[in-house]
Each structure stands twice: as structure tokens, then as C-alpha cells.
Amino acid sequence: MAIVPETLTRRSFLLTAGAGALATSSALAVPFYARRHGSPSFSHGVQSGDVDCASGVVWARTDRPSEVLLEYSTTESFTDAARMPLLDATGASDHTVKALLRDLLPDQDIFYRFTASDPYSSHLVSEPIVGRFRTAPMRDRSVRFVWSGDTAGQGWGIDDVGMKTYSTMLRHEPDFFIHSGDTIYADGPIPDEITLRDGGVWKNRIVTDEKRDVARTLDEFRGQWKYNLLDDHLLAFNSQCPTFFQWDDHEVLNNWSASSDLTGDRRYPDKDIHVYEARARQAFQEMTTIRYCAEEPGRIFRKVAYGPLLDVFFVDLRSYRSANRSAADHDLFGPRQAAWLRRELAASRATWKVIACDMPLGLVIWDDYTKSVGFEGVADGLNGPPAGRERDIADLLTFMRDNAIHNVVWLTADVHYTAAHHYDPSRAVFKDFLPFWEFISGPLHSGTYGPKPLDRTFGPEVRFIKSSKGGIDSNLPPSAGLQFFGLVDIHGASREMTVRLMDREDQELWRITLPPVLSS
């Protein structure tokens, strides 16, 4: 593929992508009226993700069975575009297609274009749909990314404002976005309206049949994703910024684990939580740009190498955990994931190692808040030596200390507020680790809650927090102004990492610059 250097900001691309698509479509030989009437169309925009120095995953969905042409180029005009073999959008994958683009040049703008045609009538061709991303660098250039979690939860759906946080994040032109879990709320129906405490009414402008109830069937789980992809802010974001996905609990059911008891829940006809987990996992793989793992299909933990300054390690605290209600040993990572994480951290030569985690480490999160029982999170609330799931974290932290693995930062969401936590052995009950930072952000577009109590096992200290007050001020709507994301800059020359905690109005709430420990 010919490489033609071209400078084009993400913002200018958004303005020109539609015109470019129309210009390229006009080159097709079939007249417009014949070509468009009865033709397939793309129903939920485009997405890209899991981008590294030489590859990236792209995604689209058609409204019916189609043959999909995928082209990609280093120029917006698609000069000398490369073509992938035709992709089949079939009912087996809910008419989604995704592909891994390989052998790309580092630090290069990549434009990609999908065109769908009727498999039985070749003259029925869709309008093209266009997206872009930039590959990771192989040099020490500055890197910027954002992270957050929790989309369309607690009944707060697409109102007249929409999921504005996505547009706010896009203004910063990030290289990529980490979605830290609760990517959908499969257990959270969206009503037409919600009466607010002040007597006002929140009106969900868009409500689909699949979002009026909890997800049970595979199609209903898919429908949770399709609902989010009806938001204009999210569609524009996806066309320009890659998303690196992980999941937490609401992709299946609140606080799900092997001990989830559906016996008394009339919403779920099958009482085996693993039935719904399997459907949710299939929908997650179909509807996101997560890479396929041949050795373990459906696997979510992985590493994305983003150049010499950054490796991102995505962990999965949900799939391998022991039962939340069990008093026995509490597994968190599972043996395979734990071994993988140690091995990859030890092998990493990137300056910064970001562990993208779907839950905070030091906050007490009960499985049953009304009785303060069960272990939904890592911390057990006993403020003592590591026990239960804390042992998995303690073993990992000691491994990092013993192997001189520095510059590790944890990023997470889950609790629906934003905070900065510093962990230090001088304050901790367990002392065999190096000090580190954990930054929390979210929600993107969900209810906001009050702060959780700290567990002292690993010595966390709150350096910043912004949340609702809790109690009667729990589950505040997005309009209350407590929607958050994090913004990270790694400077190419100094290699310093600056972390900023932001709100959806783009107000900077707090920041810190972390100098790296450089190896001799």
C-alpha cells in the first residue's frame, strides 16, 4: 500500500468524512436511484480498536444479510487503497463484521471504508461508511488517551442531550479510549421517562424494545449494544477514536459470579447464571472491536503494546473469580490469567505499564449492601493481612517489587465517581510492595453514587474525590453534572505521565504529573 504522508486532524476528518464518502460512491457505475433503492445500509456506525504499531481491528454492522467490502488507505481520498477479501454479514453474527488490518506502518493515519452489497443483486450497493484511526508509534512521541466506564445505566438513556461525555473526550483528540467495563447494562431496562426528586422529568428520547426489559436471549444482549450505538455523540466518537474494551458485571447481571442465585428472580426463566454469561460473552465479542484469541475464544484479558512509552494490560476480574457468597478461598484472576500477567509485566520494556482493571483494589464493595455480606470487590473490609481475593493482588504486587517492575499505574471505573488513590506500604498492613497510584473515573452516562469505604490492607489514601453525597443523593442523573472521564498524557521527551480527572463539561478537576523511574 502506498504511503502518502498527510496531516489531518480528527476534528477536520469528522467534517470531511461524509463528503468523502459521497464523492467515492459517485464513482460506482450504477445510477444513484437504482443503486440505493432497496440496498443494504450500515445501521450502527463504525468502530476501531485494539490498535498497536502494525495493526488494528475495525467493525461495522449492516441492516440485513450482505457482502461487505472493506478498504483501507493512508489517505482520506483512498488513493491506492488496499482491499480485504469480502466479509459476510450474516444473521449468525447479527450482521456484524469485523476484521484485523495487518502490516500497517507505525504512527500512521489509517482510513477505512465499508461498502455493503446485496449478495443476490450486485447492483444493490450501500453508501460507504468511513472511519479512521492512527497506529501506535515506534518512537518516543507523546501519547494521549482517555478512560472511563459505565454507559447507559440505572435507566438513564439517550435524552435530548445524549451521551455528551463522548463528545467532550473527542475534543482532546485522544489516540485511544479505554472503556473500563459496564459497557452496557444488560440488567438495566430503559423506561420512557423517570420522575426526578425535584419534580422534574427525565425523558429518554430513544427507547428500543430490547431495552425495555432485561436481556435474556442472545438477541436481547445484542440489543443492549445496539441501543448505545444510536447515540450521535458515541457514533461520532467511534468514527475517529479506537476503543479498547473490557467488561465487568452489568454486561451480564449486577455482581454476577458463580453464586448468583436467580431462583426468586422471575425476570430470568433459566436459573443458571452461566447461560446468560455465555450469551453476553458472544454479544460482547460480536459488538466490539476486541481481538479474537485463538487459544481461548472469548477471552478478554490481553495486552496492547502502544509503542516504547506504553503497554496496556487488560485484566478480567469477572470471568475467573470464585463465588461472591463463598466463605472459602476467593479466586480473582485464575491461574492462567495470573501467570500471563506476571509474564507479560516482566517482559515489558515500555516505560509505563497501565493495568486497566474493571474494579478498584482498595474500596469495600459488598455483594449485598443491605447486609454488608459477600465479596463483590477485591477488598474484604477487614483491614487486615491479605485474605480471600486480596491474596491475588498481594502476590502480584510482591512479584512486581521483587522483579523491579516500576511505573505501574492502575486505571479503573465501576463505582460511579472519580478519585485518585495512592497506595503505600508505609500506611499498609501488607508491606511487600512498591508504592503505586490508582485512578478511578466514570460514569460516562449513568447514575452517580457516593464514596465507598477504604480497606487498609494495601494502605490506600484518597488524594482526590468527587462524587454524589450518597444516601438520598444516590443515582443522580447525568444532568446533575457528575459524569467523569480521565485524560492521560505521556510526554515523548521527558516520559512523564500526567493524569487529569475531568467532567463532561470539560472542567479539569484534578491533575498530577508522575516522573518515571528510568532503568540504568
Side-chain angles (χ1 to χ4, degrees):
M1 178 167 75
I3 304 301
V4 181
E6 180 172 308
T7 301
L8 182 67
T9 67
R10 290 174 174 86
R11 195 170 295 124
S12 64
F13 172 73
L14 178 63
L15 298 174
T16 60
L22 290 174
T24 54
S25 69
S26 66
L28 297 172
V30 180
F32 179 85
Y33 67 87
R35 211 172 357 99
R36 303 301 175 223
H37 181 69
S39 299
S41 63
F42 291 98
S43 57
H44 293 85
V46 293
Q47 300 181 72
S48 63
D50 281 13
V51 172
D52 59 21
C53 295
S55 62
V57 180
V58 296
W59 175 100
R61 181 181 182 276
T62 61
D63 66 344
R64 69 194 72 180
S66 306
E67 292 181 338
V68 178
L69 172 65
L70 171 58
E71 304 166 280
Y72 59 100
S73 174
T74 56
T75 63
E76 184 190 13
S77 63
F78 285 87
T79 304
D80 297 328
R83 290 188 172 192
M84 297 284 287
L86 283 178
L87 304 169
D88 290 324
T90 69
S93 62
D94 198 31
H95 308 126
T96 63
V97 292
K98 67 178 181 179
L100 177 64
L101 306 183
R102 302 175 183 270
D103 301 323
L104 307 177
L105 290 180
D107 206 13
Q108 176 68 56
D109 280 325
I110 302 297
F111 300 87
Y112 60 96
R113 179 172 65 193
F114 291 98
T115 309
S117 60
D118 188 297
Y120 304 106
S121 300
S122 59
H123 68 281
L124 296 177
V125 182
S126 74
E127 291 279 7
I129 189 168
V130 182
R132 63 162 285 169
F133 63 86
R134 190 171 186 87
T135 50
M138 299 256 329
R139 57 188 175 91
D140 288 350
R141 75 128 160 109
S142 297
V143 172
R144 168 174 288 184
F145 66 94
V146 289
W147 94 92
S148 189
D150 319 308
T151 302
Q154 292 74 51
W156 310 112
I158 303 170
D159 64 333
D160 286 335
V161 175
M163 299 180 189
K164 182 180 176 180
T165 310
Y166 283 100
S167 288
T168 306
M169 293 191 298
L170 189 59
R171 290 193 205 118
H172 294 276
E173 299 188 358
D175 289 298
F176 61 88
F177 166 53
I178 296 174
H179 200 310
S180 300
D182 293 341
T183 48
I184 58 169
Y185 280 74
D187 58 338
I190 298 288
D192 291 305
E193 58 184 44
I194 300 172
T195 301
L196 304 177
R197 278 179 45 218
D198 63 4
V201 176
W202 171 282
K203 294 186 177 181
N204 287 310
R205 178 173 54 85
I206 300 174
V207 183
T208 62
D209 289 342
E210 294 149 318
K211 280 301 298 181
R212 293 186 184 278
D213 205 342
V214 300
R216 292 160 293 234
T217 68
L218 175 58
D219 281 343
E220 288 168 343
F221 278 104
R222 291 163 168 167
Q224 310 295 308
W225 291 95
K226 288 185 283 189
Y227 177 80
N228 290 359
L229 291 170
L230 297 176
D231 179 76
D232 292 338
H233 301 286
L234 179 52
L235 289 174
F237 185 89
N238 285 347
S239 71
Q240 300 177 74
C241 182
T243 297
F244 301 170
F245 288 95
Q246 63 188 147
W247 75 352
D248 189 30
D249 57 336
H250 287 285
E251 286 80 1
V252 182
L253 177 69
N254 184 45
N255 294 358
W256 72 270
S257 74
S259 63
S260 294
D261 184 4
L262 301 177
T263 303
D265 195 332
R266 303 172 77 177
R267 301 173 302 171
Y268 295 95
D270 197 306
K271 303 306 176 182
D272 182 357
I273 186 63
H274 298 294
V275 170
Y276 303 109
E277 175 200 352
R279 293 168 184 167
R281 191 180 297 273
Q282 180 175 338
F284 185 90
Q285 294 288 329
E286 290 174 347
M287 301 300 294
T288 72
T289 50
I290 189 171
R291 292 193 185 216
Y292 175 75
C293 177
E295 58 267 32
E296 187 182 350
R299 195 176 89 178
I300 291 168
F301 72 82
R302 65 202 187 281
K303 183 186 86 170
V304 175
Y306 207 82
L309 298 181
L310 177 64
D311 281 342
V312 185
F313 302 86
F314 292 86
V315 297
D316 178 1
L317 304 192
R318 190 57 55 179
S319 300
Y320 311 99
R321 63 169 53 200
S322 55
N324 282 0
R325 300 295 179 91
S326 171
D329 229 2
H330 282 16
D331 288 329
L332 183 63
F333 291 126
R336 175 182 280 191
Q337 182 177 199
W340 164 84
L341 186 54
R342 289 183 178 87
R343 182 176 67 251
E344 293 296 334
L345 282 167
S348 174
R349 296 297 173 262
T351 303
W352 291 97
K353 293 91 175 164
V354 164
I355 298 180
C357 192
D358 44 300
M359 299 193 76
L361 301 182
L363 296 179
V364 180
I365 305 173
W366 302 113
D367 187 60
D368 185 342
Y369 266 99
T370 60
K371 299 178 181 178
S372 296
V373 297
F375 301 93
E376 162 61 6
V378 175
D380 60 15
L382 299 177
N383 299 299
R389 291 179 182 145
E390 293 172 337
R391 285 196 287 265
D392 274 14
I393 299 300
D395 290 346
L396 177 63
L397 295 178
T398 300
F399 174 83
M400 290 192 289
R401 183 203 63 178
D402 292 347
N403 288 272
I405 301 172
H406 298 284
N407 308 324
V408 177
V409 171
W410 295 70
L411 300 182
T412 187
D414 181 62
V415 290
H416 295 238
Y417 62 83
T418 189
H421 295 162
H422 186 255
Y423 292 76
D424 195 300
S426 67
R427 296 187 297 266
V429 176
F430 174 78
K431 297 183 179 298
D432 299 332
F433 68 96
L434 300 171
F436 66 93
W437 284 91
E438 173 187 68
F439 300 104
I440 303 172
S441 200
L444 278 161
H445 191 82
S446 293
T448 309
Y449 291 87
K452 308 291 185 192
L454 290 174
D455 185 292
R456 309 309 305 179
T457 298
F458 300 116
E461 180 178 76
V462 178
R463 297 290 179 86
F464 175 81
I465 185 171
K466 188 167 185 180
S467 69
S468 76
K469 296 177 183 178
I472 62 172
D473 286 322
S474 294
N475 193 19
L476 297 182
S479 55
L482 297 172
Q483 307 293 296
F484 306 111
F485 68 97
L487 177 62
V488 179
D489 284 289
I490 303 175
H491 193 270
S494 69
R495 302 188 187 182
E496 292 178 330
M497 174 185 282
T498 298
V499 180
R500 290 182 274 171
L501 302 180
M502 313 288 292
D503 67 18
R504 85 169 185 172
E505 301 304 322
D506 215 19
Q507 298 298 308
E508 181 180 310
L509 307 174
W510 185 85
R511 78 156 65 191
I512 190 170
T513 296
L514 307 176
V517 175
L518 300 177
S519 58
S520 56

